PDB file of all heavy atoms in Angstrom:
ATOM      1  N   GLU Z 124     -18.048  36.754  -1.511  1.00  0.00           N
ATOM      2  CA  GLU Z 124     -18.344  35.543  -2.276  1.00  0.00           C
ATOM      3  C   GLU Z 124     -17.065  34.826  -2.701  1.00  0.00           C
ATOM      4  O   GLU Z 124     -16.993  33.597  -2.688  1.00  0.00           O
ATOM      5  CB  GLU Z 124     -19.185  35.911  -3.499  1.00  0.00           C
ATOM      6  CG  GLU Z 124     -20.602  36.345  -3.157  1.00  0.00           C
ATOM      7  CD  GLU Z 124     -21.344  36.903  -4.358  1.00  0.00           C
ATOM      8  OE1 GLU Z 124     -20.674  37.406  -5.291  1.00  0.00           O
ATOM      9  OE2 GLU Z 124     -22.593  36.829  -4.374  1.00  0.00           O
ATOM     10  N   ALA Z 125     -16.046  35.598  -3.062  1.00  0.00           N
ATOM     11  CA  ALA Z 125     -14.767  35.010  -3.456  1.00  0.00           C
ATOM     12  C   ALA Z 125     -14.127  34.287  -2.272  1.00  0.00           C
ATOM     13  O   ALA Z 125     -13.565  33.185  -2.417  1.00  0.00           O
ATOM     14  CB  ALA Z 125     -13.835  36.090  -3.983  1.00  0.00           C
ATOM     15  N   LEU Z 126     -14.224  34.899  -1.091  1.00  0.00           N
ATOM     16  CA  LEU Z 126     -13.694  34.258   0.108  1.00  0.00           C
ATOM     17  C   LEU Z 126     -14.441  32.978   0.433  1.00  0.00           C
ATOM     18  O   LEU Z 126     -13.845  31.960   0.814  1.00  0.00           O
ATOM     19  CB  LEU Z 126     -13.773  35.235   1.288  1.00  0.00           C
ATOM     20  CG  LEU Z 126     -13.290  34.690   2.645  1.00  0.00           C
ATOM     21  CD1 LEU Z 126     -11.829  34.276   2.555  1.00  0.00           C
ATOM     22  CD2 LEU Z 126     -13.494  35.748   3.734  1.00  0.00           C
ATOM     23  N   ALA Z 127     -15.753  33.001   0.239  1.00  0.00           N
ATOM     24  CA  ALA Z 127     -16.568  31.815   0.511  1.00  0.00           C
ATOM     25  C   ALA Z 127     -16.163  30.657  -0.397  1.00  0.00           C
ATOM     26  O   ALA Z 127     -16.147  29.499   0.019  1.00  0.00           O
ATOM     27  CB  ALA Z 127     -18.042  32.143   0.330  1.00  0.00           C
ATOM     28  N   LEU Z 128     -15.808  30.990  -1.644  1.00  0.00           N
ATOM     29  CA  LEU Z 128     -15.353  29.947  -2.572  1.00  0.00           C
ATOM     30  C   LEU Z 128     -14.034  29.329  -2.110  1.00  0.00           C
ATOM     31  O   LEU Z 128     -13.836  28.119  -2.225  1.00  0.00           O
ATOM     32  CB  LEU Z 128     -15.191  30.525  -3.974  1.00  0.00           C
ATOM     33  CG  LEU Z 128     -16.484  30.800  -4.748  1.00  0.00           C
ATOM     34  CD1 LEU Z 128     -16.164  31.376  -6.118  1.00  0.00           C
ATOM     35  CD2 LEU Z 128     -17.312  29.530  -4.908  1.00  0.00           C
ATOM     36  N   LYS Z 129     -13.141  30.157  -1.574  1.00  0.00           N
ATOM     37  CA  LYS Z 129     -11.880  29.634  -1.069  1.00  0.00           C
ATOM     38  C   LYS Z 129     -12.106  28.697   0.114  1.00  0.00           C
ATOM     39  O   LYS Z 129     -11.480  27.638   0.224  1.00  0.00           O
ATOM     40  CB  LYS Z 129     -10.968  30.786  -0.636  1.00  0.00           C
ATOM     41  CG  LYS Z 129     -10.410  31.602  -1.795  1.00  0.00           C
ATOM     42  CD  LYS Z 129      -9.451  32.668  -1.294  1.00  0.00           C
ATOM     43  CE  LYS Z 129      -8.883  33.466  -2.443  1.00  0.00           C
ATOM     44  NZ  LYS Z 129      -7.919  34.518  -1.964  1.00  0.00           N
ATOM     45  N   VAL Z 130     -13.016  29.091   0.995  1.00  0.00           N
ATOM     46  CA  VAL Z 130     -13.347  28.249   2.146  1.00  0.00           C
ATOM     47  C   VAL Z 130     -13.945  26.929   1.671  1.00  0.00           C
ATOM     48  O   VAL Z 130     -13.615  25.853   2.174  1.00  0.00           O
ATOM     49  CB  VAL Z 130     -14.321  28.987   3.085  1.00  0.00           C
ATOM     50  CG1 VAL Z 130     -14.821  28.042   4.187  1.00  0.00           C
ATOM     51  CG2 VAL Z 130     -13.651  30.218   3.684  1.00  0.00           C
ATOM     52  N   GLU Z 131     -14.834  27.014   0.686  1.00  0.00           N
ATOM     53  CA  GLU Z 131     -15.454  25.808   0.141  1.00  0.00           C
ATOM     54  C   GLU Z 131     -14.414  24.894  -0.500  1.00  0.00           C
ATOM     55  O   GLU Z 131     -14.470  23.662  -0.358  1.00  0.00           O
ATOM     56  CB  GLU Z 131     -16.515  26.202  -0.879  1.00  0.00           C
ATOM     57  CG  GLU Z 131     -17.304  25.021  -1.432  1.00  0.00           C
ATOM     58  CD  GLU Z 131     -18.379  25.456  -2.417  1.00  0.00           C
ATOM     59  OE1 GLU Z 131     -18.658  26.664  -2.513  1.00  0.00           O
ATOM     60  OE2 GLU Z 131     -18.939  24.558  -3.101  1.00  0.00           O
ATOM     61  N   GLN Z 132     -13.468  25.488  -1.199  1.00  0.00           N
ATOM     62  CA  GLN Z 132     -12.423  24.701  -1.843  1.00  0.00           C
ATOM     63  C   GLN Z 132     -11.565  23.978  -0.808  1.00  0.00           C
ATOM     64  O   GLN Z 132     -11.242  22.800  -0.974  1.00  0.00           O
ATOM     65  CB  GLN Z 132     -11.547  25.614  -2.700  1.00  0.00           C
ATOM     66  CG  GLN Z 132     -10.492  24.853  -3.504  1.00  0.00           C
ATOM     67  CD  GLN Z 132      -9.735  25.786  -4.426  1.00  0.00           C
ATOM     68  OE1 GLN Z 132      -9.531  26.954  -4.110  1.00  0.00           O
ATOM     69  NE2 GLN Z 132      -9.322  25.282  -5.567  1.00  0.00           N
ATOM     70  N   ARG Z 133     -11.203  24.676   0.267  1.00  0.00           N
ATOM     71  CA  ARG Z 133     -10.412  24.034   1.320  1.00  0.00           C
ATOM     72  C   ARG Z 133     -11.189  22.897   1.968  1.00  0.00           C
ATOM     73  O   ARG Z 133     -10.618  21.861   2.323  1.00  0.00           O
ATOM     74  CB  ARG Z 133      -9.986  25.074   2.358  1.00  0.00           C
ATOM     75  CG  ARG Z 133      -8.873  25.997   1.894  1.00  0.00           C
ATOM     76  CD  ARG Z 133      -8.239  26.722   3.056  1.00  0.00           C
ATOM     77  NE  ARG Z 133      -9.185  27.637   3.691  1.00  0.00           N
ATOM     78  CZ  ARG Z 133      -9.315  28.918   3.366  1.00  0.00           C
ATOM     79  NH1 ARG Z 133      -8.581  29.428   2.387  1.00  0.00           N
ATOM     80  NH2 ARG Z 133     -10.170  29.688   3.991  1.00  0.00           N
ATOM     81  N   GLN Z 134     -12.500  23.063   2.114  1.00  0.00           N
ATOM     82  CA  GLN Z 134     -13.328  22.025   2.700  1.00  0.00           C
ATOM     83  C   GLN Z 134     -13.371  20.782   1.808  1.00  0.00           C
ATOM     84  O   GLN Z 134     -13.296  19.648   2.292  1.00  0.00           O
ATOM     85  CB  GLN Z 134     -14.758  22.561   2.918  1.00  0.00           C
ATOM     86  CG  GLN Z 134     -15.721  21.556   3.543  1.00  0.00           C
ATOM     87  CD  GLN Z 134     -15.324  21.165   4.939  1.00  0.00           C
ATOM     88  OE1 GLN Z 134     -14.673  21.940   5.655  1.00  0.00           O
ATOM     89  NE2 GLN Z 134     -15.712  19.964   5.371  1.00  0.00           N
ATOM     90  N   ILE Z 135     -13.457  21.007   0.514  1.00  0.00           N
ATOM     91  CA  ILE Z 135     -13.453  19.897  -0.438  1.00  0.00           C
ATOM     92  C   ILE Z 135     -12.135  19.121  -0.341  1.00  0.00           C
ATOM     93  O   ILE Z 135     -12.119  17.888  -0.287  1.00  0.00           O
ATOM     94  CB  ILE Z 135     -13.666  20.412  -1.870  1.00  0.00           C
ATOM     95  CG1 ILE Z 135     -15.083  20.949  -2.033  1.00  0.00           C
ATOM     96  CG2 ILE Z 135     -13.399  19.290  -2.894  1.00  0.00           C
ATOM     97  CD1 ILE Z 135     -15.295  21.674  -3.345  1.00  0.00           C
TER      98      ILE Z 135
END
Side-chain angles (χ1 to χ4, degrees):
E124 290 172 334
L126 178 60
L128 285 179
K129 289 183 179 181
V130 172
E131 185 178 349
Q132 185 175 32
R133 285 196 295 268
Q134 181 64 28
I135 292 171

